[in-house]
Amino acid sequence: MYDVIVIGARCAGSPTAMLFAQQGYRVLLLEKARFPQDTLSSHYLHLQGVALLNRWGLLDKIRDAGCTPITHQSYEGPDVRIEGFSLPIDGLRTTYAPRRYVLDPILAEGAVAAGVDFRQGCAVNDLVFEDDRVVGVRYTTPGGVQTTERARLVVGADGMRSVVARKAGAQNVIEHPRLTCTYYSYWSGVPAHFELYDRPGRWIGVLPTNDDLTLLMAYFPQADFGQIRKDVEPAYLDAFRTTAPELYERMQEGKREEQLYGTGHQENYFRKAYGPGWALVGDAVTHKDSITARGITEAFVQAQSLTDQIGQGLHDDAALKTALRRYENELSNEALNHYQGALNVAELKPEGRAEMLRKLVGHQEQIDRYFSTLSGACSIDDFYNDELLTLLDQS
């Protein structure tokens, strides 16, 4: 019997398993895929996530994997352009956007190094219940054998379509309709920093990633998904031509190295985060439009929060219940602010945002503080301090 079973070994599951193992628990980590394997992603690690990787001793592995350092960010909207970067966290002011076939194995290796029993190619089929409490999982091994393992706590880190959430009956407690769809690919010969372009009905995101490639993402209204998916490439290129003409010129000198990837499944929800014998982390517990690229970072934050809250109280019924409630409350406080922020951006209506940012031009400290609201270095409440409100009133 294990203390904890974690389902899913990507950016939420592997850190959760690693941190539980570092607390002395016996942990089983099950993953359906076999690493390295790519997956849809916006890739970006905000400073909050970078700081956690550093705390976990994994940041140097990201640096050594050939991922381009990012120290410069720009935003261009209607009649406004600002440049700067987030304030530091834990003395760090460099970010990265690693490919997932690079990041996910590094996280899994960190879990194994902590003593986690990691099994790949294992598909979880069901949960085991006793007296309405989850006490284990049933899964299929790579060889097709049906197997059961038991644990004090089962953690679902298995994404939007989480088996753990479905089998445990975790209901959506917050839900909003899809707002965007997105398509992206990787380009060589397109030098870039972290660039954002915001126009009515369009959003462009640009990030340097591994192997001197640049990730170029285009966002469209969800209502256009059915039409765009019929002929993606012209719509994708036209988004850059009309939204970011200077970037489009750079693209003419470069080359698209991979196919176009995309999705219209930009779900927006919070699920119930825990119940008797189970908890959820990552996209299993909350997902929002990827337009603000907060998913990986928040998965890291949730892994740290869940394991910190439980600490040494896993086998104490009252302590575990209190810890899980605190985890859910903490999740609601921080993640909900970023959730609401993502939905605002995903409306693809930049006018109000651009009007506010025009007032920051010439005030670099406030610009960096604005970029810090996404990175996790500055909360929204702290950003709107008396100094900023005075500046906005005077402009």
Side-chain angles (χ1 to χ4, degrees):
M1 178 172 173
Y2 291 88
D3 296 305
V4 181
I5 299 174
V6 180
I7 312 304
R10 292 193 182 269
C11 55
S14 284
T16 300
M18 176 189 71
L19 293 168
F20 272 127
Q22 289 175 348
Q23 292 175 335
Y25 294 118
R26 186 167 183 248
V27 182
L28 173 63
L29 177 61
L30 298 174
E31 169 57 46
K32 181 168 60 176
R34 286 186 173 276
F35 291 165
Q37 185 182 89
D38 214 358
T39 188
L40 290 175
S41 179
S42 53
H43 301 312
Y44 191 56
L45 302 175
H46 288 275
L47 271 179
Q48 192 176 21
V50 172
L52 285 171
L53 283 175
N54 188 55
R55 177 176 173 180
W56 300 338
L58 299 177
L59 182 56
D60 283 343
K61 294 183 180 297
I62 299 296
R63 291 170 173 152
D64 294 342
C67 192
T68 302
I70 300 170
T71 58
H72 178 209
Q73 181 173 356
S74 64
Y75 166 93
E76 186 175 302
D79 299 317
V80 63
R81 179 180 174 87
I82 58 173
E83 299 186 49
F85 208 62
S86 169
L87 301 173
I89 297 179
D90 295 345
L92 299 167
R93 209 177 183 186
T94 300
T95 59
Y96 304 87
R99 295 289 295 264
R100 292 298 297 275
Y101 62 74
V102 173
L103 174 64
D104 294 347
I106 288 173
L107 298 174
E109 289 163 9
V112 171
V116 171
D117 182 357
F118 178 38
R119 303 179 190 175
Q120 303 183 65
C122 296
V124 173
N125 309 309
D126 207 349
L127 301 178
V128 179
F129 288 86
E130 286 184 2
D131 300 324
D132 296 324
R133 178 186 178 87
V134 174
V135 296
V137 301
R138 294 189 179 92
Y139 67 97
T140 305
T141 70
V145 177
Q146 302 295 311
T147 302
T148 299
E149 297 286 0
R150 299 170 68 89
R152 170 70 171 167
L153 181 69
V154 173
V155 179
D158 48 342
M160 286 194 294
R161 299 166 185 82
S162 169
V163 172
V164 177
R166 185 173 73 252
K167 297 294 185 177
Q171 300 296 311
N172 287 359
V173 294
I174 297 175
E175 188 172 9
H176 291 85
R178 302 170 185 172
L179 294 173
T180 76
C181 59
T182 184
Y183 283 92
Y184 66 88
S185 193
Y186 306 92
W187 292 65
S188 62
V190 183
H193 53 278
F194 181 10
E195 305 174 35
L196 300 172
Y197 299 87
D198 194 4
R199 294 291 188 275
R202 294 292 183 269
W203 175 276
I204 299 293
V206 183
L207 286 163
T209 183
N210 291 90
D211 304 320
D212 296 321
L213 297 181
T214 299
L215 170 68
L216 296 171
M217 302 187 76
Y219 285 80
F220 310 85
Q222 171 68 207
D224 296 347
F225 180 53
Q227 187 63 34
I228 289 171
R229 69 190 302 187
K230 294 177 183 177
D231 197 8
V232 174
E233 187 168 27
Y236 173 80
L237 292 175
D238 189 64
F240 288 92
R241 183 183 63 80
T242 58
T243 306
E246 185 277 330
L247 171 61
Y248 183 72
E249 290 181 7
R250 274 183 274 158
M251 292 168 67
Q252 304 314 297
E253 302 299 319
K255 177 185 177 184
R256 178 163 63 85
E257 298 291 350
E258 297 187 26
Q259 69 181 64
L260 284 162
Y261 306 94
T263 183
H265 294 287
Q266 296 275 61
E267 314 297 342
N268 301 295
Y269 61 81
F270 272 78
R271 290 180 177 133
K272 177 65 180 173
Y274 74 96
W278 61 270
L280 303 175
V281 293
D283 289 351
V285 70
T286 179
H287 186 277
K288 60 189 170 301
D289 198 290
S290 65
I291 200 163
T292 53
R294 284 282 308 178
I296 298 173
T297 297
E298 289 184 22
F300 290 178
V301 171
Q302 291 158 22
Q304 190 70 62
S305 173
L306 177 64
T307 54
D308 281 351
Q309 292 294 347
I310 291 176
Q312 297 303 310
L314 180 64
H315 294 282
D316 181 315
D317 286 345
L320 179 59
K321 185 175 181 179
T322 298
L324 291 173
R325 183 173 65 249
R326 287 176 177 168
Y327 163 67
E328 185 175 66
N329 290 341
E330 195 169 87
L331 176 71
S332 299
N333 291 335
E334 178 173 2
L336 186 57
N337 285 333
H338 289 293
Y339 177 89
Q340 293 168 335
L343 265 58
N344 289 339
V345 176
E347 290 179 352
L348 302 179
K349 297 176 180 179
E351 292 81 5
R353 181 167 46 258
E355 180 183 4
M356 186 271 289
L357 292 176
R358 284 195 289 270
K359 297 176 181 180
L360 301 190
V361 173
H363 301 274
Q364 192 61 49
E365 180 182 351
Q366 297 298 339
I367 291 171
D368 289 345
R369 284 169 55 82
Y370 172 74
F371 287 138
S372 299
T373 61
L374 270 180
S375 76
C378 178
S379 71
I380 294 293
D381 290 341
D382 287 341
F383 174 63
Y384 284 99
N385 60 15
D386 291 343
E387 181 180 350
L388 176 66
L389 293 175
T390 300
L391 174 64
L392 297 178
D393 288 341
Q394 291 174 345
S395 301

